[in-house]
Amino acid sequence: MMPSQGLTSDVAALYDGVAQVVAATWGPDLHFGYWDDDNDASTVEEATNRLTDMVMEGVAPRPGQHILDIGCGIGNPAMRLLNAHKVSVHGITVSQVQVAEATARAGREGMSDRATFQYADAADMPFVDASFDAAWAIESMAHMDDCERMLSETARVLRPGGRLAIVDVIRRDPVAPERQGDVDAICRLFALHTLETVDRYEQWLKAQGFVDVRVRDIGDHVMPRTGMAMARAVEAKRDELVDLVGAEQADALIAFMRTASRTHEIGYIYATAIRG
Ligand code: SAH
């Protein structure tokens, strides 16, 4: 399936281009990190792995299960899952570059039989009903413009009783009018189409028939340190970024990483639910 215009094209461009450079400094996890507090000396790698492990705990995989990774990136969380649990994973992404990279990585690590990846839009999943035992979405929902449709698709492809875990950036209300500009700029830069609240995620999940819905904002452990670490990582690769997106965008990216680290209006959810 080709990217639909508008919705996925800027997301794909982001991940086919900038993310390749960011990945070179940030590491293979295309998601944020979790730090216990200001004194936590964890590296980016440790903090991003910790976040993956929290999502993994939310999914609580059991041997033999088949798990859907919605917005799989270059497959790092999927490979971490496979190394920790005797399960299989299928990842979807709207970036062809990521499909190729994740597939190659699974091959290199001898995991091709347990890890597969394909191009697919989460709003229209090419899977029959109840295909998966569990699913996770690690920082993919905020890129989508119809999260309700994504969740209804997720409910459809999960078997009853299947667990879902979500982490993503969210909006913390109220956003003062004079702060809206920063929030909007961050959304444009990171190709965020949905910046919703904890309450909205809870409503969406319940409306799609999920039960045992738990949604909390863990943003204070995630956002400030991630923003600062990303600004440093991206700055170290400025020359490469300039070649890729031009000086203006490269500098905007670096500046906004710093701004993002101070933008209290953007939080981060950790959500778990069970398909009823
Ligand atoms: N979960 C990965 C990647 C996060 S980056 C990790 O933690 O490393 C966001 C991912 O969401 C990218 O892989 C992007 O292609 C994917 N994504 C965004 N919109 C999507 C959509 N509509 N359908 C499927 N995947 C999507």
Side-chain angles (χ1 to χ4, degrees):
M1 191 178 18
M2 294 304 291
S4 57
Q5 288 306 308
L7 161 61
T8 54
S9 56
D10 65 332
V11 177
L14 174 77
Y15 286 104
D16 286 350
V18 170
Q20 299 297 304
V21 176
V22 174
T25 28
W26 185 252
D29 271 326
L30 302 183
H31 65 246
F32 293 2
Y34 184 100
W35 284 267
D36 286 331
D37 53 40
D38 286 347
N39 299 321
D40 183 345
S42 301
T43 62
V44 165
E45 188 184 353
E46 288 163 346
T48 53
N49 277 333
R50 186 179 297 147
L51 194 81
T52 303
D53 291 346
M54 289 169 64
V55 175
M56 221 185 289
E57 272 168 40
V59 165
R62 288 200 305 278
Q65 287 192 331
H66 190 41
I67 295 174
L68 175 64
D69 183 348
I70 306 166
C72 59
I74 53 176
N76 206 56
M79 299 311 284
R80 191 169 173 83
L81 169 67
L82 294 191
N83 283 316
H85 297 275
K86 289 189 170 55
V87 295
S88 57
V89 63
H90 186 68
I92 61 170
T93 167
V94 290
S95 158
Q96 298 284 11
V97 173
Q98 292 182 343
V99 173
E101 221 170 294
T103 304
R105 167 140 183 227
R108 279 198 304 277
E109 298 189 17
M111 300 271 205
S112 299
D113 52 336
R114 292 168 62 204
T116 49
F117 303 92
Q118 79 173 96
Y119 182 98
D121 187 344
D124 189 11
M125 296 194 206
F127 310 120
V128 299
D129 297 0
S131 309
F132 295 94
D133 299 297
W136 73 30
I138 303 180
E139 289 179 28
S140 57
M141 285 185 73
H143 290 305
M144 300 175 195
D145 73 356
D146 194 345
C147 288
E148 285 170 285
R149 192 153 154 211
M150 170 275 193
L151 286 174
S152 90
E153 277 292 87
T154 303
R156 182 181 67 75
V157 302
L158 275 178
R159 66 160 169 76
R163 299 185 69 92
L164 169 66
I166 299 165
V167 284
D168 224 312
V169 287
I170 52 161
R171 190 180 76 238
R172 285 172 170 164
D173 282 342
V175 178
E178 69 274 16
R179 304 283 304 132
Q180 191 63 49
D182 272 357
V183 172
D184 291 345
I186 289 166
C187 289
R188 272 197 304 279
L189 199 78
F190 288 96
L192 304 179
H193 294 254
T194 295
L195 198 63
E196 269 302 341
T197 59
V198 162
D199 290 350
R200 181 56 55 85
Y201 272 88
E202 203 169 318
Q203 285 162 12
W204 279 342
L205 284 161
K206 288 180 177 164
Q208 295 303 334
F210 284 94
V211 296
D212 201 8
V213 174
R214 294 162 202 228
V215 188
R216 62 196 167 96
D217 183 351
I218 58 168
D220 292 346
H221 295 280
V222 175
M223 303 306 287
R225 297 280 295 271
T226 295
M228 272 153 23
M230 270 196 187
R232 279 196 298 274
V234 172
E235 205 159 24
K237 287 275 168 180
R238 184 178 180 278
D239 291 350
E240 276 176 55
L241 271 176
V242 169
D243 288 346
L244 204 67
V245 296
E248 198 181 325
Q249 270 217 50
D251 289 334
L253 186 64
I254 295 163
F256 275 123
M257 298 278 180
R258 292 230 162 74
T259 306
S261 76
R262 296 188 298 262
T263 304
H264 181 77
E265 292 80 359
I266 300 184
Y268 196 89
I269 54 152
Y270 177 82
T272 55
I274 296 174
R275 154 82 152 90

